[in-house]
Amino acid sequence: MNMSLSIDDYRKIRDFIYRKTGMYFEDRKLYFMQKRITQRIEAIGAQTPIDYLRELQFRDPHSKELQLFLNLMTTNETYFFREFEQLAVFGEHCLEEICKKKQELSSYRLRIWVAGCSTGEEAYTVAIILQEMLEDLDKWYITILANDINTTVLEYAKRGVYEKRSIKDVPLEYLGKWFTPLSDERYRIRSTIKDMVQFEQINFMDTSSMSHISNMDVIFCRNVLIYFDDDSRRQVVSNFYDALNPGGYIFLGHSESMARISSVFKVRRKAGFIVYQKPE
C-alpha cells in the first residue's frame, strides 16, 4: 500500500498517542511515523490514516492495537554496560553510600528501578554490578524492577538471550562468569542474574500503576525522557521523586539533564559525573 500521510492526519494521530502515553513526536518525525502507521493500517485492513485513528479511539477497548503500534514506535538499541563510566559511579560511589546508611539502620533491603528497560541489558547489567560489588550479598533482600511500555522488548528481555552486539562491552571476566555461550554466537544470561530482575509493562502516564512503585533507592532512567515533551517529563520526574526514598539517586542519560525539568533534586558530582539525589 502506497499511502501518503498528511501533516494534519499525522498530528491527529500524534496527539492521540501523546494523550495516551505522554510520548511526543515532533513534526519532523512524520516520515518515521508514516512507515509504521502504514504497516498497522495494512495489518488491520483500515482504509485511511483517519480510519486507523478511529480504530484506536473507538474500536480498541483493551488497547491491543495501541500496544502493537507502540511496540513499533519505541524499539531502541541498547547493550550491556552502556555508558560504563556512569555505571562505575553507581557501583563505586552511590551504591556504597546507600548500603552504608542502610547497614547503620540494620536494614538490608535494596530496591532499584530501571525505568524504560528496553530489551533488558541495562537491568541485567545492574544485577551484575550488585553481584560484583556487594561482598555480603546473601544478607541483602534485593529488588530490581525493570519496565517498558513496549511488550515486544519485554518478552525479549525475559528470555535473557543476546547476540554478540549486545555483549560487546562486557568485560571478559564478567562474560565468562555471568553468561553461557550458545552454539550460534549468542549468549544466555545465567539464572543467578536473570532471577534478580522483575520485568513489568508500565505506561509512565498511568498514574495508578506508577503510584504502586515506591521505596526505591536508585532509579535508572537513561535515554528515556527524550520521548517526552516538557510537560510529560515534569510529570514523569515527579512520579520518580515520589517513588524514591530520601537520599535515593536517579541516573539520567549522559546527554540528559534535570535543569529544565525539575529543581527538587540535589545535583551531585561524583567522579566527574552529574547524578541527582532526593533530599533527605
Side-chain angles (χ1 to χ4, degrees):
M1 180 184 294
N2 185 14
M3 181 177 296
S4 175
L5 180 66
S6 72
I7 188 66
D8 286 341
D9 289 349
Y10 164 75
R11 287 170 176 166
K12 289 174 183 175
I13 295 174
R14 182 267 310 276
D15 291 348
F16 174 79
I17 299 300
Y18 174 71
R19 291 193 299 272
K20 284 287 189 178
T21 69
M23 292 187 295
Y24 184 76
F25 299 96
E26 298 175 344
D27 287 353
R28 60 187 175 87
K29 293 283 190 178
L30 186 150
Y31 177 72
F32 172 81
M33 283 274 270
Q34 177 169 319
K35 293 172 64 177
R36 286 148 181 80
I37 292 171
T38 300
Q39 186 173 337
R40 291 311 308 159
I41 285 174
E42 292 177 346
I44 69 171
Q47 298 303 308
T48 66
I50 292 304
D51 188 34
Y52 181 67
L53 176 59
R54 293 193 184 103
E55 178 76 23
L56 294 174
Q57 289 175 317
F58 306 120
R59 299 191 289 272
D60 189 30
H62 302 295
S63 298
K64 291 182 179 179
E65 177 56 34
L66 175 62
Q67 186 63 63
L68 291 170
F69 179 70
L70 292 174
N71 288 353
L72 289 177
M73 294 300 299
T74 58
T75 301
N76 56 318
E77 182 180 356
T78 185
Y79 48 89
F80 285 88
F81 289 91
R82 186 179 185 180
E83 298 176 13
F84 181 86
E85 293 83 1
Q86 190 185 51
L87 293 171
V89 170
F90 161 69
E92 297 171 6
H93 297 277
C94 299
L95 180 63
E96 181 179 351
E97 175 188 314
I98 289 169
C99 291
K100 182 179 179 180
K101 289 179 179 177
K102 285 181 173 287
Q103 288 172 316
E104 290 173 354
L105 298 172
S106 299
S107 171
Y108 286 86
R109 184 179 295 270
L110 185 64
R111 291 172 60 82
I112 297 174
W113 182 11
V114 180
C117 65
S118 188
T119 43
E121 288 94 329
E122 183 174 40
Y124 289 135
T125 295
V126 170
I128 291 172
I129 291 172
L130 295 181
Q131 286 281 349
E132 293 290 338
M133 298 300 294
L134 293 180
E135 296 180 0
D136 50 354
L137 186 70
D138 57 339
K139 291 184 179 180
W140 290 88
Y141 181 77
I142 296 172
T143 298
I144 301 175
L145 174 64
N147 66 58
D148 204 281
I149 198 170
N150 186 325
T151 55
T152 299
V153 296
L154 287 173
E155 288 306 312
Y156 189 103
K158 290 175 183 178
R159 287 193 293 270
V161 176
Y162 296 94
E163 298 180 2
K164 292 186 72 172
R165 62 180 175 80
S166 290
I167 54 90
K168 62 186 178 66
D169 286 350
V170 177
L172 286 177
E173 178 185 353
Y174 293 175
L175 189 63
K177 189 174 182 181
W178 302 116
F179 294 80
T180 300
L182 303 177
S183 58
D184 52 357
E185 295 193 334
R186 295 186 302 163
Y187 294 78
R188 177 183 290 116
I189 195 80
R190 295 200 172 169
S191 58
T192 304
I193 298 299
K194 192 168 180 285
D195 293 346
M196 293 176 68
V197 184
Q198 304 171 14
F199 290 100
E200 296 179 6
Q201 195 267 355
I202 291 179
N203 179 346
F204 287 158
M205 291 298 109
D206 184 342
T207 304
S208 177
S209 295
M210 293 287 282
S211 66
H212 292 149
I213 302 176
S214 61
N215 299 317
M216 291 293 164
D217 297 298
V218 180
I219 297 175
F220 287 91
C221 184
R222 304 196 299 168
N223 308 302
V224 175
L225 296 178
I226 56 173
Y227 283 109
F228 300 91
D229 70 349
D230 287 346
D231 288 340
S232 298
R233 288 187 188 114
R234 281 190 283 271
Q235 181 175 335
V236 171
V237 167
S238 176
N239 289 331
F240 288 160
Y241 183 87
D242 291 341
L244 269 177
N245 286 327
Y249 285 96
I250 182 166
F251 287 81
L252 302 182
H254 72 279
S255 62
E256 298 174 308
S257 170
M258 284 285 187
R260 291 180 51 200
I261 305 173
S262 174
S263 60
V264 296
F265 292 93
K266 292 182 178 179
V267 178
R268 301 295 194 195
R269 184 174 291 274
K270 294 181 180 290
F273 282 83
I274 295 294
V275 295
Y276 301 93
Q277 186 178 32
K278 181 174 179 176
E280 297 191 61

